[in-house]
Amino acid sequence: MGKLLFWIVLIILVLFVARLAGRMAATRQAGQQGAKKPKTDARGPKPLESMVRCAHCGIHLPRSEALQQNGQTWCSAEHARLGPARH
């Protein structure tokens, strides 16, 4: 029983040390990557955009990609031609 307990404690200790070493290596690597100047896009991040729902099929799409006719939004010219869905 004593040998079994010894091996269990030893395995847990080895796993703990390996996990600690992995975290230290990841932190060190992140610090080195942070020191390098990351390439940034001159345009910056895209601004958030509201989503609208197609009056025919119900799919949601960005407002800039939607067609707007007669106060309703459509995902394509074909759906605008077909009109609102009839349920």
Side-chain angles (χ1 to χ4, degrees), residues 2 14-15 19-20 25-26 31 33 41-42 45 48 60 62 64 74 80 84 86:
V14 168
L15 291 174
R19 189 174 191 188
L20 185 62
Q33 287 178 352
D41 190 6
L48 295 178
H60 288 83
S64 63
W74 313 94
R86 292 179 174 83

Side-chain angles (χ1 to χ4, degrees), residues 4 36 57:
L4 180 63
K36 295 177 186 174
C57 65

